[in-house]
């Protein structure tokens, strides 16, 4: 009887510990800061400047009262809205075969220095990847590394969430920008 | 003593299995690809074209240098930004009583074919539904079915996430678009 | 033997209950509607109106065909796109030391009344907070309290999700708006 009692006590203790562990301390414990998936891509932005229509992958579509849609505005381009459809490559070569398209917009959003806000998707439709990854966030683009959010995904990236670290890999004047993106998914399904 | 020892061993085994199950294999196991909620809606976009102000539910508000804000631009409308406040209905009839409003923007984002990027909300304020569903994602609109992300929700849709499948149900010229949206929520609270 | 049998039965029962609890009823049970973190901030929007460039923190960058980028358009500003870089303060005083910047855009999206759609970030870089909080959602701004989604975060706000309740704390004509934001995080990492 004493043995059984001991066992029952042990039982109940473990039972309540598990209940506590699984349910009460809601989700912190079951979350890992180790990514469940990692990917690195480059994308290439060629901004329309009135003379490069054929090669351009991006265009100014909004500007403040003191600007226009052909040339980036004064005051660190504050208020310029740019729409883009940029090729995504696996390495830093603009002429590598694109594996997808980066599509969306950025907005220059500060008078005093260059900063931007991004809303865009990586769209894949190849044997390697099908589906899309959706991003949003602030891009203080003078910083070497900037983190934005992966806010969702579809297809191969169904319901993912994570962090994308953006680095300016190269730029030429105000026409060509090459960005490196390190994507770390922390929610995979 | 032997019996007690056996039981203790069994105990420990189960204990560690459960610990492993609940905590280590972080979240994959507790996620289901079965939706926790499904909804189907239609919404109706009537684009302002200079002559239909009264009926229009959407307007061009940004354009590339070669366009303007009255007529959709050449090059597959690349660069056009459209703001909308469209009625949501339960069936495909524009004149059915609206159950909410689809509010936000879309951007045509490719020179070579029609594609768009969407950021918008479904806003409900009726006895049936109160609250909002927030969407973002790429819309390759020449495809029959396109998936975007449900990135959040409020009210009745508190903290939801999911996938919305968009289908062009009908269109008339470049003025009227009717979209069917199948929403599958995979995170419900 | 009978005692051992009883214990084994109890064992199995508990085991299956736990398995069920942890894995089957997918995520509803482990979610709490109690916030894991709460914060209150104010931000201050001073819209450029052609005469206040020095103080302005926001500018019109898109307008419908019947508007322009200096003055908010007729029809409840329908179609106006505004980019902003607003100071964030801990209290409702515009002149308090800013603790961060609210950066992004809003779009007036209805002809009949004032409503908007928001996409923006809170960007912090101080000893108190480093990182960003990303927001998106519909803002029916004539309502006293409006809920939008926290769609992600970086740095100190790594992978967070939640609800932000926006209240118009004060406004002066169509130039100065002060918003109070109560952020409730329901997913913390």
């Amino acid at each position: 009887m004493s043995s059984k009692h001991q066992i029952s006590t042990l039982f109940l203790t473990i039972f309540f510990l598990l209940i506590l562990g699984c349910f009460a301390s809601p989700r912190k414990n079951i979350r890992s800061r180790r990514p469940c998936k990692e990917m690195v891509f480059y994308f290439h932005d060629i901004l329309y400047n009135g003379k490069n229509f054929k090669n351009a992958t991006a265009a100014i579509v909004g500007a403040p009262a003191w600007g226009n849609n052909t040339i980036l505005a004064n005051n660190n381009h504050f208020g310029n809205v740019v729409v883009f459809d940029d090729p995504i490559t696996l390495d830093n070569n603009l002429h590598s075969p694109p594996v997808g398209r980066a599509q969306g917009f950025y907005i220059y959003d500060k008078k005093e220095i260059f900063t931007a806000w991004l809303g865009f998707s990586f769209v894949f439709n190849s044997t390697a990847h099908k589906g899309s990854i959706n991003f949003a966030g602030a891009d203080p683009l003078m910083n070497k590394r900037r983190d934005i959010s992966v806010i969702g995904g579809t297809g191969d990236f169904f319901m993912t969430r994570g962090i994308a670290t953006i680095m300016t890999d190269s730029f030429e004047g105000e026409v060509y920008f090459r960005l490196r993106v390190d994507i770390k998914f922390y929610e995979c399904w």
Side-chain angles (χ1 to χ4, degrees), chain A residues 81-93:
Chain A
V81 182
V82 175
V83 173
F84 61 92
D85 166 42
D86 294 347
I88 303 170
T89 58
L90 295 177
D91 61 20
N92 66 1
N93 187 339

Side-chain angles (χ1 to χ4, degrees), chain A residues 46-77:
Chain A
I46 303 170
L47 186 58
Y48 177 71
N49 65 357
K51 291 174 283 186
N52 61 349
F53 180 81
K54 196 165 170 287
N55 293 325
T57 65
I60 305 169
V61 302
W66 60 87
N68 65 61
N69 288 2
T70 304
I71 299 165
L72 288 164
N74 290 332
N75 304 304
N76 294 290
H77 314 337

Side-chain angles (χ1 to χ4, degrees), chain A residues 35 95 100 119 145 153 160 185:
Chain A
H95 302 293
R145 300 167 59 89
T160 45
F185 297 99

Side-chain angles (χ1 to χ4, degrees), chain A residues 75-129:
Chain A
N75 304 304
N76 294 290
H77 314 337
F78 176 60
N80 275 134
V81 182
V82 175
V83 173
F84 61 92
D85 166 42
D86 294 347
I88 303 170
T89 58
L90 295 177
D91 61 20
N92 66 1
N93 187 339
L94 169 62
H95 302 293
S96 292
V99 298
R101 306 297 292 190
Q103 300 182 324
F105 69 99
Y106 54 87
I107 297 181
Y108 287 98
D109 58 10
K110 198 174 177 69
K111 287 188 298 185
E112 293 80 11
I113 57 162
F114 292 119
T115 62
W117 202 88
L118 306 172
F120 67 101
S121 302
F122 276 7
V123 181
F124 300 99
N125 189 15
S126 71
T127 45
H129 306 294

